[in-house]
Amino acid sequence: MTGHVPIEAGDGFDADALIMKLLIDKSVIPDPYPYYRALRENAPVHKAEWSNLWILSSYHDARAVLRDPRCGNPTPEAFEQGRSVIDGSRRPRSRDSLSMLNLNPPDHTRIRGLVSRAFTPRRVERMRPEVAAMADGLLEELGSSGDLVGSLAFPLPANVISAMVGVPTRDRDWLRPQVADLTVGLEPTASDDELNDAETASEHLSDYLTDLIAQRRAEPQDDLLSVLISAGDDGDMLTDAEIITNTLLIYAAGFETTTHLIGNIMRSLVAHPDQHERLRRDRGLVRTAVEEVVRFDPPVQIDGRFVHADIEIGGHRISAGESVLTLLGAANRDPAICDDPESFDVGRSNTQLLSFGSGIHFCLGAALARLEAQVVLERLLDRYNEWEITAEPTWRSRITLRGVERLDVAFA
């Protein structure tokens, strides 16, 4: 469905056609926000006519679902069924279902509680000098022009996660494309070939981590794997399978998202030179500027939940067994939560956003993503006075994890 779909209110408004266009039409990816706005204003709670799928586009409705204990993760069968409705294909069964992303309480509570010990604020903040040194090295190689994604936004978070996990430097170049293939598994409209590549990458990475875990058991170090191996509560330890699966999740969720966040920082500030200049005059706005990019153009655009017991959202009854997609990019621009939400304001304070999710599945690596983005923004401001995007960005063909795969820039 690539034809014109009315996005204004009126007799011609077709929420189902608009939603399908959002999910499968790659031409929408560079700017989905007019479509989000049309849904939020005309059909903020909408059940698709082609499935038991509800789509939410307002902040309060989306937040309510993400935080409701009756809404959780789907069974693998439900996820496969939902994807087949969209594009007629089937998702290959993962050989592992121990990821926090696929669990509900009490299993989710247990594993997240143990894994979170590797993401304490103190441990994350302690990485700031190392992240800064990595960013400086990559920017030195980039020089005054080049592809920002390939030179900085892609390798930096990959190297940060690798350093955090404990992957030796010599293995990181091999690891990056494996993780890139792995992340496609988060897309509801990925092709079967892409999903098979994701399964293959998962197997390669699992084999690699099995060997690395054995090394860390013999010789513990100050890294995430060693923390996960030793994490325990009253004798409740993570199994090797749980360590591997959740380390892969940390890679998949914390690598590509930060890559896109860095690209979005560059695009947003170049597109709003007044805000760029304001930030340059007042470096105290770096943290709020990062928060504004996360709100205005989030790397994660969609989050889903499976309804385990009947709920009511926005006056609509959603029954057990149905699924919900929350449009995070739409919710973040809801005028109910901030003034002039379509404007980009680096000084915006008290920002409400759903970019990292909400409730028990709130992104475990949110603090690390923010730290990396802050460091990159500070280093770019330190090093370059003038920023320019010299060619149209090349977008990845994904809406859930949305971002550019190439961004040609020039600095002075």
Side-chain angles (χ1 to χ4, degrees):
M1 182 180 300
T2 59
H4 175 70
V5 177
I7 60 175
E8 302 297 332
D11 294 338
F13 183 78
D14 186 339
D16 286 292
L18 192 152
I19 290 164
M20 285 297 288
K21 190 173 179 70
L22 270 170
L23 292 177
I24 68 174
D25 188 345
K26 307 309 182 187
S27 70
V28 170
I29 291 173
D31 187 14
Y33 297 103
Y35 297 85
Y36 291 156
R37 181 174 181 176
L39 279 173
R40 195 178 57 238
E41 292 178 351
N42 298 287
V45 180
H46 181 75
K47 184 178 182 182
E49 65 178 9
W50 30 269
S51 74
N52 288 326
L53 180 66
W54 292 78
I55 293 86
L56 308 184
S57 48
S58 76
Y59 176 88
H60 292 296
D61 290 339
R63 184 176 183 272
V65 163
L66 294 176
R67 298 180 68 85
D68 196 312
R70 295 167 294 181
C71 301
N73 289 313
T75 63
E77 292 79 10
F79 199 96
E80 289 177 11
Q81 187 177 42
R83 184 169 168 266
S84 69
V85 168
I86 294 173
D87 65 2
S89 58
R90 301 289 288 180
R91 173 181 292 274
R93 271 304 159 91
S94 171
R95 61 193 180 95
D96 245 324
S97 58
L98 302 173
S99 161
M100 289 181 290
L101 199 63
N102 299 321
L103 294 175
N104 296 300
D107 296 324
H108 173 272
T109 307
R110 167 186 165 265
I111 291 183
R112 184 180 174 105
L114 295 173
V115 174
S116 65
R117 299 183 183 190
F119 283 89
T120 63
R122 183 177 180 181
R123 177 175 287 274
V124 170
E125 185 58 34
R126 201 169 65 195
M127 294 193 68
R128 190 177 290 269
E130 186 175 5
V131 174
M134 290 182 189
D136 285 338
L138 292 169
L139 286 170
E140 190 66 32
E141 292 180 16
L142 173 62
S144 60
S145 65
D147 171 24
L148 188 79
V149 175
S151 299
L152 175 68
F154 180 75
L156 178 66
N159 288 343
V160 169
I161 292 289
S162 292
M164 190 175 193
V165 169
V167 172
T169 304
R170 64 179 180 274
D171 296 336
R172 294 176 188 175
D173 286 342
W174 171 83
L175 213 69
R176 288 180 200 162
Q178 303 288 333
V179 175
D181 285 343
L182 182 68
T183 59
V184 79
L186 300 175
E187 290 293 321
T189 57
S191 70
D192 285 341
D193 286 343
E194 289 174 321
L195 290 165
N196 286 326
D197 289 343
E199 286 289 304
T200 300
S202 176
E203 292 171 1
H204 290 164
L205 289 167
S206 295
D207 291 342
Y208 175 81
L209 289 173
T210 297
D211 293 339
L212 195 57
I213 288 170
Q215 295 175 32
R216 290 297 181 270
R217 286 195 187 281
E219 297 181 17
Q221 297 185 18
D222 184 20
D223 55 35
L224 183 142
L225 271 186
S226 299
V227 171
L228 295 182
I229 290 168
S230 63
D233 187 10
D234 296 329
D236 182 17
M237 309 291 285
L238 291 169
T239 66
D240 282 5
E242 290 171 336
I243 293 172
I244 291 169
T245 303
N246 288 286
T247 300
L248 293 180
L249 171 62
I250 289 166
Y251 261 112
F255 158 39
E256 189 169 346
T257 52
T258 307
T259 294
H260 295 336
L261 175 55
I262 292 170
N264 292 350
I265 287 172
M266 174 61 64
R267 290 190 308 102
S268 297
L269 288 171
V270 169
H272 300 87
D274 59 325
Q275 297 300 305
H276 185 184
E277 181 58 30
R278 181 183 176 193
L279 181 59
R280 190 170 292 283
R281 291 196 309 266
D282 184 358
R283 297 287 292 276
L285 296 176
V286 164
R287 290 178 184 268
T288 57
V290 168
E291 289 301 292
E292 179 67 345
V293 174
V294 171
R295 179 199 72 84
F296 186 76
D297 200 14
V300 180
Q301 293 277 319
I302 297 174
D303 199 359
R305 290 292 184 270
F306 184 79
V307 180
H308 294 279
D310 294 356
I311 60 172
E312 183 173 314
I313 297 292
H316 297 265
R317 178 189 175 93
I318 302 179
S319 301
E322 296 182 321
S323 297
V324 178
L325 286 184
T326 59
L327 303 181
L328 307 184
N332 284 350
R333 295 196 186 192
D334 190 338
I337 61 166
C338 63
D339 296 330
D340 196 11
E342 299 294 333
S343 70
F344 179 74
D345 178 1
V346 297
R348 195 186 297 273
S349 59
N350 300 319
T351 302
Q352 298 184 69
L353 50 82
L354 293 178
S355 306
F356 295 110
S358 190
I360 64 170
H361 293 288
F362 181 82
C363 177
L364 198 60
L368 181 60
R370 286 176 163 124
L371 183 148
E372 292 176 72
Q374 292 163 11
V375 167
V376 166
L377 181 51
E378 288 168 350
R379 287 306 195 258
L380 288 172
L381 291 168
D382 284 344
R383 187 176 287 262
Y384 308 111
N385 288 321
E386 297 178 12
W387 307 359
E388 181 185 0
I389 295 175
T390 57
E392 281 296 313
T394 303
W395 287 87
R396 301 205 74 176
S397 58
R398 305 178 187 176
I399 189 65
T400 301
L401 295 180
R402 172 182 166 272
V404 294
E405 62 181 2
R406 183 177 181 90
L407 188 63
D408 292 316
V409 297
F411 299 110

